[in-house]
Amino acid sequence: MWRMSEPGRLMLLDTPSLYFRAFFGVPESVTAPDGTPVNAVRGLIDMIARLVQDRSPDRLVCCMDADWRPAFRVAALPSYKAHRVAEDGGDQTPDALEAQLPLIDAVLDAFGLARAGVPGYEADDVIGTLAARHAARGPVDVVTGDRDLFQLVDDRGPVGVLYTARGIRNLQVMDEQAVAAKYGIPGRGYGDYATLRGDPSDGLPGVPGVGDKTAAALVTRFGSVEGILAALDSGADEGFPAGARRRLEAARDYLAAAETVVRVVTDIDAPELAALDDRLPRGARDPEALVELADRWNLGSPVNRLLNALAR
């Protein structure tokens, strides 16, 4: 378990996960003076304020989806997020949320909070890359409502996940021990576990007939999907639950494709990340712009809460 007092703490926000949560958690009746909904903006600012106040990071990056359904993942597995594609080919972001996204960017920039997205990649991949870079220098907290990022937990860094399923005030702290206790797998084995059992929310079918318990047993026994495939190649039957070997043999093509889809990228080489200043500001970078945004969009209270949290 990592300690709050350790220096050099980096906090990586799965920003789309947070603003979707804010949008559905704060009533759309929360509006600007002209009647425009600002519930996602206000909710996100309050979430960041609470995280800064309670967790005291030294560095913070708001990680973004530059591509919510990257081509390399769709090429590997066409079903990836296919059920979320709208008629126009984009995603199914509600119009009232879509309209707030430019305002979210503007507010984050006025505060001076680092914001990072890379063309062709999801926020998860930005998070994975920044976590891998920083882990040798200090602890990393990943804030998300997406279980896929449990694959990043690593007590050696340490890298941990602050899981938002119960809300920002009731974060679940997920390290290797917590992942192992919840899923019955090695602490760093969540990606392999998810590949085997599947995830309907992402259009990931999993291996037919392999559920949670069988997936956990396989990952525990063989360590990874790669280890499972090696065992299949060896012709050995030992360690496979009843019927699992046959199911896995039939799913070889899926397993090869799903590895590309499920595994978070940890080595993006892009200018957007090369010169990123992730130091947490102690005040607004552009106070005039922030005041103008707060006045125009009825954001005064959450803006002041975040300013107070930054100042402390």
Side-chain angles (χ1 to χ4, degrees):
M1 182 72 68
W2 59 95
R3 298 185 300 275
M4 294 303 299
S5 59
E6 291 179 79
R9 179 172 298 277
L10 171 64
M11 178 172 283
L12 300 172
L13 305 186
D14 181 0
T15 315
S17 171
L18 296 183
Y19 63 60
F20 265 94
R21 183 178 184 86
F23 178 76
F24 289 108
V26 179
E28 281 191 56
S29 57
V30 176
T31 63
D34 67 357
T36 303
V38 291
N39 53 332
V41 188
R42 289 181 64 100
L44 177 63
I45 298 170
D46 272 334
M47 287 180 183
I48 297 174
R50 172 62 62 175
L51 289 164
V52 170
Q53 176 180 308
D54 291 353
R55 300 285 166 173
S56 302
D58 301 289
R59 300 173 180 276
L60 185 146
V61 182
C62 299
C63 302
M64 301 292 194
D65 282 335
D67 190 338
W68 70 280
R69 193 172 180 248
F72 73 91
R73 289 194 167 102
V74 176
L77 194 69
S79 66
Y80 181 61
K81 295 185 178 179
H83 60 296
R84 302 190 203 175
V85 178
E87 292 183 2
D88 62 2
D91 65 357
Q92 297 178 352
T93 302
D95 291 343
L97 173 56
E98 188 75 42
Q100 296 179 61
L101 300 186
L103 178 55
I104 287 173
D105 290 347
V107 170
L108 295 177
D109 289 348
F111 271 110
L113 295 169
R115 183 165 59 86
V118 178
Y121 293 96
E122 298 177 64
D124 288 10
D125 303 311
V126 176
I127 289 169
T129 297
L130 294 177
R133 289 184 186 179
H134 187 84
R137 297 187 286 131
V140 179
D141 293 333
V142 175
V143 184
T144 184
D146 186 351
R147 291 176 298 177
D148 289 345
L149 289 172
F150 289 176
Q151 67 185 272
L152 297 178
V153 301
D154 190 336
D155 289 356
R156 298 170 300 181
V159 178
V161 169
L162 303 178
Y163 188 47
T164 64
R166 299 175 184 170
I168 291 294
R169 293 176 182 270
N170 297 289
L171 293 169
Q172 294 175 260
V173 181
M174 304 298 295
D175 56 9
E176 287 189 43
Q177 182 178 356
V179 170
K182 185 172 180 64
Y183 298 103
I185 58 176
R188 296 195 293 275
Y190 187 84
D192 300 284
Y193 171 75
T195 298
L196 292 167
R197 72 164 191 179
D199 186 347
S201 67
D202 281 339
L204 193 70
V207 177
V210 173
D212 292 355
K213 290 183 178 179
T214 301
L218 288 166
V219 175
T220 300
R221 173 64 178 83
F222 298 107
S224 65
V225 170
E226 183 179 357
I228 292 169
L229 293 175
L232 292 176
D233 291 340
S234 74
D237 291 324
E238 184 181 353
F240 289 98
R245 196 182 206 290
R246 172 179 51 79
R247 296 185 180 100
L248 292 163
E249 285 281 12
R252 276 180 175 271
D253 290 345
Y254 160 75
L255 290 172
E259 179 71 8
T260 299
V261 174
V262 174
R263 193 65 56 189
V264 170
V265 178
T266 58
D267 59 355
I268 299 173
D269 182 11
E272 290 84 358
L273 305 183
L276 189 66
D277 183 0
D278 59 9
R279 292 172 298 180
L280 189 72
R282 297 305 173 192
R285 180 175 61 188
D286 190 340
E288 292 185 4
L290 189 59
V291 168
E292 182 179 348
L293 289 166
D295 289 345
R296 179 180 177 186
W297 299 104
N298 188 27
L299 302 175
S301 295
V303 161
N304 285 331
R305 283 191 284 271
L306 181 48
L307 285 172
N308 290 334
L310 293 172
R312 288 198 293 267

